[in-house]
Amino acid sequence: MKAASFDYVRASSKKEVLQLLHEHGEDARILAGGQSLMATLNMRLTQPKVVIDINRVEELNRIRNESGYLAVGAAVRQVQLTDRAELAREVPLLAKALPWIGHFQTRNRGTVCGSVAHADPSAEIPLCLVTLGGSVVLESLKGKRREVPAAEFFQGLLTTDRQPKELISEVRFPLAQDGTDYRFQEIAMRHGDFALVALALCLRADGAHLGVGGVADRPVAQTLPLGDELPAALNTLAWSLGAQDDVHASAAYRRQLVRELGQRLIEEPSHARPR
Amino acid sequence: MHAPAEQRSEIELELNGETRHGRTEPRTQLCDFLRHDLGATGVHVGCEHGVCGACTVLVDGVASRSCLMLAVQADGRRIDTVESLARDDVMNDLQQAFSRHHALQCGFCTSGILMSCVEFLQRVPTPDEAQVRDMLSGHLCRCTGYTGIVRAVLEVAGQRQSGESQQNASENPNDV
Amino acid sequence: MSDHSTETRADGSHIGRSQTRFEDQALLRGLGRYADDLATPPGTLHAAVVRSPHAHARVLSVDVSEALALKGVRAVLTGEDVKRWAHPFPVGVRGAPMEHWCLAVDKVRYVGEPVCVVIAEDRYRAEDALDLVRVQYEPLKPVIDPEKAAAEDAPVLHDAVGGNVVNERHFRYGDPDQAFEDADHRVSIKVRFPRNSCTPIECYVVVGQYQPATGVYDILSNFQGPYALHSVMARALNVTSNRLRLRTPPDSGGSFGIKQGVLTYVVLMGLAARKAGAPVKWVEDRLEHLQASSSATNRVADMEAAVDADGRVTALRYDQIDDCGGYLRAPEPATFYRMHGNLTGAYGIRNLAVRNRVVLTNKLPSGLNRGFGGGQMYFALERLMHQVARQLNLDPLEVMRRNLVPADAFPYRTASGALLDSGKYADTVDLALRDGGYQELIQRRDRARAEGKLYGVGLCAVVEPSISNMGYITTALTPEQRRKAGPKNGAVSTATIGIDPLGGITVHVSSTPQGQGHQTVVAQVVAEVLGVDPASILVNVELDTGKDPWSIASGNYSSRFAGAVAGAVHKAALQVRARLANIAATMWEADAERVRFAGGKVFIEDGPSLGFHRVAGTAHWSPALLPDNESGGLRETAFWTPPQLEAPDDDDHINSSLCHGFIFDYCGVEIDRVTGEVHIDRYVTCHDAGRLLNPMLVDGQIRGGFTQALGVALMEEFAYGEDGSFLSGTLADYLLPTAPEAVEPLILHTETPSPFTPLGAKGMGEGNNMSTPVCIANAVADALGRDDIQLPLTPSRVRGLIGIDEPPAPEGLEPLAAPRAGGPALQARDSVVVPASPQTVYDTVLDPETLRAIIPGCHALELEGENQYRADVTVGVGMIKARFAARVRLSDLDPPHSLRLSGSGDSAMGSASGSAHVTLVELDNGHTRLEYVYEVDVGGKIAAVGGRMLQSASKIIIGQVFNRLAQRLTGKPVGGGLWQRLRALIARLLGKGDAS
């Protein structure tokens, strides 16, 4: 279980990264935390010609709180966010979701943008980004810098709007809004596993904005009415996700969790188990 | 740094306090390099896809899977492996507690677990059991059922705390 | 819980003390010497194995030329080499002309089966070359379900055998027919036990060397025994057994039975070394390990009990099928026969009928796995006992009590021939109930239920066999076949104690431990007998068949250490002590019986005293001082075998194991109604393993086995698709309990020494692998009031048992297609609308240029025949991509209404085949709706590591084909894909804005 050969370039600036991406496009892979890429390299599921290491690009290792969002750079590790005391105030949903991601040892190296780039349908960070209505900033050497809404960025299983020559230079999480209660809940086979169903919630007096991960081929968020209409709306949401059977859970189980856990999460805050 | 495919590039790193050199291909996993080139066979390889945790080492003090890093990425870094823990042939408090609590059987997963514990106890000096188990969830142990490991970590945390409070007490000039 | 390390025994005795382990220092400091840590000879090459992506296929051709041309590749071992140099592995049952070679020679019969070995200068290069070996397969229909495999019309794995049932035996003990006729009640249950594995964290390692001058294969491997398999390996290598020198490393990273399965790779790497003319090292990786090492045997069991009105079971009927995978690999079909003597469990049931069938299916060969045979057997028996109580409306505990073997009956001969050595079953049950708080647990259940919770209590009783009779496997043969083959029986263990000229004590045992702490216990036993400090003793556990004492029963299995190996060590120590006492007595002109050994001294009470090393040294330095019957030097080897382990008799009675411990477990579980998660509220496990040699290590074994069993109960399964693809290929798919899932059991002990072992110890360590899965299953059955409990009890499965009463799908959101039951044999439908007439669409599809353009990642398309093409295609999702040598075909042509588009191919990542039936529907506006129904089968690595994503990935790739077609017809990307349509629909249904 050893990777195929590739050239390795340790970039020292964003410019260099963009140049390399421009040169190699589809044949290049960005190595940030490596928590997904390295495993797929080792298994030869991916065989890039060039691996561009951005771990030492200082300008990509920045977290900024500005203009109503928290911008997280491409080289920022998940642990840097868990260590950020202000996060619970800035982006409480993300603060609640982070402990559910993998394990302490993988959060130590795994990056926030790497998780977004990989676009695993069960991943927590893309789910938060979509639920909060965040965005992804893409840059390339020759093209225009683009800011893509998260809901458009994720296009399906491991598939995103990123073009081969583009770098996800940062992702932007909208800051907490007054009067909104943020909740996160996940059911997995084990602690730290891929979610069978993950739910992210922004609850306001007039409605619930519920994000679902692990069911559709991408994270999906939907605004739902509260009160008597909620069960029917949850049912519609559950069926709309195209849940599928796999070795760990049935489609019916996943739909049922969307309905019942969704209702629990919206109506009974105590059911949001912290980790 | 540009390391061409199929060529061995020179790297330098600090392994357990010593400066070490080696030549490696870009694709070589850090764990393979540490074991087979630098002789740190205490680093164990159990899955090569970042799940089992046996290959965990400290990279600049941070617990990391060495199968999910390239050896070339360690260039210029400080790497600590399980071999660094004992001093002058005496096991450290954590190692001793592992033995007392029968926290290992085959010992294959143990090296990685110890290295996670090293960083964890620095970050969380007074953990409760749930926190210890959460930290251990990044490791697979097939022999012990984790009981001894949890007890050992909690005991060492307690000992270090009381040791520190004693030390603080004795350093206090008013405390005569 | 006590802190064992500080515990010392009042009598100063070492045996029975919780001595901390002498192994720990090295292992904790990273100084262990595991197989992959040891130095290899200069010039050692590295192997990688080409494996089958198909579950069942004929191997048409193997082309290694490109691989050999790669820089750094030294040789490729193929089936042809193997046929020239080797033999198939001997098979443990007669009359089944099944050939199992270490490489596939004609067919492949499971995903992951070795087809070639590439030998290169390092592992990375060897893997580069794997991708260059071209193997042509002709896929055959696989069979995965053992019951289907046993049917007449099933695809046959081994043509020479003619069917898939390779062994069938019927047994009758007592008069079961009469008992069933007389019974007040008949209770039956049918259960399935899944495939799983205790998955050691260290995988297989083999370093093969071949010495042409002597014809010796010298092979190092973390093999665990039993060494009866040495003969199997030697026969396969086609050498006399002294020409297979098999060595084990000092340390091994766990085994739990699984490292028995490395035997086929020992042979393979021996041959690889011969082919390469150099030492060859192979380190199995985790993907190889999960798909192609070994696993527990899955079983289907139909059980019936004859029960009287009081709940006394008068007879049992077993009808069982064991699924041993693609080949019957030695020691299979031992999964059945290890437990044969104790099929009646802890109960005094005199009438027994058994039908055992062994079938082969397209799965990896099964083998030893901790609790071997017990997990399977007790899952059936103890579910049945639970069912008896349910059906008769009795308390399960009462039913168990009424059937237990009474204390005054020991040693007790069971119906099928086991001699249960000792036990006080009823007392042990009482102890467990009292000290584990059973009454309080029942109250907890009642309270929880009153609060509306799903709470259940499960119980089980298990007789834990240890120290296998090497002859039990011959119970699979008929008495006539056995007479022809000659009787097999016994369990020879061995230990050697050498004392050097300065009194240093070195002990060697052939128990090949894998982490259990044998070195510590051996030192305790020797220290006790010789009166020295256990820390001063060195214990060597490496086994070298070229120079160490060993026998067929050597190795680490059937919990034989405490009873048999420690017993042999004790015997050897007594031999040494007798010689030393004799020497000392001669020096002191005293009676040898009065010589004592303690505190590192040899002495006579109130008399002369010498340091141990002085007396021992005499044997080396001063032979003249020795008594006449002493020849000097000091090394004693003891062999020990218990006389109770006899060969099966003509009526098929077999004392399958020497010792029989007793375990009584119970637990309380609470189930989350919504998520289906099973929460273990309390687990009590009470063991009688005879005399405990080191209680700390005993509890460690219990906790480890218990946690593995928890995995078996709740999450572990080697999953196969109906197409035979293996779906649990990574440790993110095959799930082991981690620390947060682990539960702390309350462990209780009682000690009834075995009369049959030198130290009164019985084997232990496997018991919870037998008891815990069924105990938890019984608790879940109790909580849910359900009978159809199947492992693993995943949240989804449990929620299914609770019942999912789904509200109907809103109109327009009905699922597109129900996927075919099980597996990745994916089936789904979709559609796309294109602004062109059906005839135009049809003609476009038949045009090869179009075909090339619409197949995603198509580098080349070459006409092979009418509507048949050869294609070079790279497909994938996200960063995951594979390059396939594919065949594409258009068929079932019905212009301009429908056609079938199929493709299949192989890549380094595995095989894939898909077929879409396309219907063209003309719409009112003259446009065409392409409706397509597709099926995809995926095998090899892609299925093994990507199971979670196969459905979505297939959808994306198939969707690409038709969207590209539409795009080609319209010249622009088509909107209105499924997702867009759904979003619009949801928005409409909810009367809100766009869903985002």
Side-chain angles (χ1 to χ4, degrees), chain C residues 817-834:
Chain C
R820 219 157 65 197
L826 315 167
Q827 197 179 39
R829 65 172 74 229
D830 208 337
S831 68
V832 60
V833 174
V834 287

Short mmCIF file of all heavy atoms in Angstrom, two decimals, chain C residues 817-834:
data_model
loop_
_atom_site.label_atom_id
_atom_site.label_comp_id
_atom_site.label_asym_id
_atom_site.label_seq_id
_atom_site.Cartn_x
_atom_site.Cartn_y
_atom_site.Cartn_z
N ALA C 817 -35.62 3.91 -7.62
CA ALA C 817 -35.65 2.47 -7.79
C ALA C 817 -35.21 1.85 -6.48
O ALA C 817 -34.37 2.39 -5.79
CB ALA C 817 -34.71 2.04 -8.90
N ALA C 818 -35.80 0.71 -6.20
CA ALA C 818 -35.34 -0.01 -5.02
C ALA C 818 -34.07 -0.73 -5.43
O ALA C 818 -34.07 -1.48 -6.39
CB ALA C 818 -36.40 -1.01 -4.58
N PRO C 819 -32.95 -0.48 -4.73
CA PRO C 819 -31.73 -1.19 -5.10
C PRO C 819 -31.92 -2.68 -4.83
O PRO C 819 -32.67 -3.07 -3.94
CB PRO C 819 -30.66 -0.61 -4.19
CG PRO C 819 -31.34 0.34 -3.28
CD PRO C 819 -32.79 0.38 -3.59
N ARG C 820 -31.28 -3.48 -5.65
CA ARG C 820 -31.33 -4.92 -5.45
C ARG C 820 -30.81 -5.22 -4.06
O ARG C 820 -29.87 -4.56 -3.59
CB ARG C 820 -30.42 -5.57 -6.49
CG ARG C 820 -30.97 -6.84 -7.06
CD ARG C 820 -30.34 -7.11 -8.40
NE ARG C 820 -28.91 -7.36 -8.28
CZ ARG C 820 -28.07 -7.29 -9.30
NH1 ARG C 820 -28.51 -6.96 -10.48
NH2 ARG C 820 -26.80 -7.56 -9.14
N ALA C 821 -31.43 -6.21 -3.42
CA ALA C 821 -31.08 -6.49 -2.03
C ALA C 821 -29.59 -6.75 -1.88
O ALA C 821 -29.02 -7.56 -2.59
CB ALA C 821 -31.87 -7.68 -1.54
N GLY C 822 -28.98 -6.03 -0.96
CA GLY C 822 -27.61 -6.33 -0.56
C GLY C 822 -26.57 -5.96 -1.59
O GLY C 822 -26.79 -5.97 -2.79
N GLY C 823 -25.41 -5.60 -1.09
CA GLY C 823 -24.26 -5.52 -1.95
C GLY C 823 -24.20 -4.32 -2.85
O GLY C 823 -25.11 -3.50 -2.87
N PRO C 824 -23.13 -4.22 -3.59
CA PRO C 824 -22.93 -3.07 -4.44
C PRO C 824 -23.45 -3.33 -5.82
O PRO C 824 -23.21 -2.56 -6.73
CB PRO C 824 -21.43 -2.93 -4.49
CG PRO C 824 -20.98 -4.35 -4.48
CD PRO C 824 -22.03 -5.14 -3.72
N ALA C 825 -24.09 -4.45 -6.04
CA ALA C 825 -24.66 -4.71 -7.34
C ALA C 825 -25.74 -3.66 -7.45
O ALA C 825 -26.89 -3.86 -7.12
CB ALA C 825 -25.22 -6.11 -7.39
N LEU C 826 -25.33 -2.51 -7.91
CA LEU C 826 -26.18 -1.33 -7.84
C LEU C 826 -27.15 -1.32 -8.99
O LEU C 826 -26.82 -1.68 -10.11
CB LEU C 826 -25.31 -0.08 -7.94
CG LEU C 826 -24.07 -0.09 -7.09
CD1 LEU C 826 -23.15 1.04 -7.49
CD2 LEU C 826 -24.45 0.04 -5.63
N GLN C 827 -28.33 -0.88 -8.69
CA GLN C 827 -29.32 -0.78 -9.73
C GLN C 827 -30.08 0.52 -9.50
O GLN C 827 -30.47 0.79 -8.36
CB GLN C 827 -30.28 -1.97 -9.63
CG GLN C 827 -31.09 -2.19 -10.86
CD GLN C 827 -31.99 -3.39 -10.71
OE1 GLN C 827 -32.54 -3.61 -9.65
NE2 GLN C 827 -32.14 -4.16 -11.77
N ALA C 828 -30.25 1.29 -10.51
CA ALA C 828 -31.01 2.53 -10.34
C ALA C 828 -31.48 3.00 -11.70
O ALA C 828 -31.14 2.42 -12.73
CB ALA C 828 -30.13 3.59 -9.68
N ARG C 829 -32.28 4.03 -11.70
CA ARG C 829 -32.75 4.56 -12.97
C ARG C 829 -32.67 6.08 -12.93
O ARG C 829 -32.61 6.70 -11.86
CB ARG C 829 -34.18 4.11 -13.25
CG ARG C 829 -35.21 4.65 -12.27
CD ARG C 829 -36.61 4.31 -12.73
NE ARG C 829 -36.91 2.89 -12.51
CZ ARG C 829 -37.42 2.09 -13.44
NH1 ARG C 829 -37.65 2.56 -14.64
NH2 ARG C 829 -37.69 0.84 -13.16
N ASP C 830 -32.65 6.67 -14.11
CA ASP C 830 -32.62 8.13 -14.21
C ASP C 830 -33.09 8.48 -15.61
O ASP C 830 -33.35 7.59 -16.42
CB ASP C 830 -31.20 8.66 -13.93
CG ASP C 830 -31.24 10.06 -13.35
OD1 ASP C 830 -32.26 10.77 -13.56
OD2 ASP C 830 -30.27 10.46 -12.69
N SER C 831 -33.19 9.75 -15.87
CA SER C 831 -33.59 10.14 -17.22
C SER C 831 -33.06 11.53 -17.54
O SER C 831 -32.67 12.27 -16.65
CB SER C 831 -35.12 10.12 -17.33
OG SER C 831 -35.67 11.15 -16.55
N VAL C 832 -33.03 11.82 -18.82
CA VAL C 832 -32.60 13.14 -19.26
C VAL C 832 -33.37 13.47 -20.55
O VAL C 832 -33.67 12.57 -21.34
CB VAL C 832 -31.05 13.17 -19.46
CG1 VAL C 832 -30.62 12.17 -20.51
CG2 VAL C 832 -30.57 14.56 -19.82
N VAL C 833 -33.71 14.75 -20.69
CA VAL C 833 -34.49 15.15 -21.87
C VAL C 833 -33.56 15.86 -22.86
O VAL C 833 -32.76 16.70 -22.46
CB VAL C 833 -35.65 16.08 -21.46
CG1 VAL C 833 -36.37 16.62 -22.70
CG2 VAL C 833 -36.61 15.35 -20.55
N VAL C 834 -33.66 15.48 -24.14
CA VAL C 834 -32.84 16.15 -25.14
C VAL C 834 -33.72 16.68 -26.27
O VAL C 834 -34.69 16.02 -26.67
CB VAL C 834 -31.76 15.22 -25.73
CG1 VAL C 834 -30.68 14.98 -24.71
CG2 VAL C 834 -32.35 13.90 -26.19
#
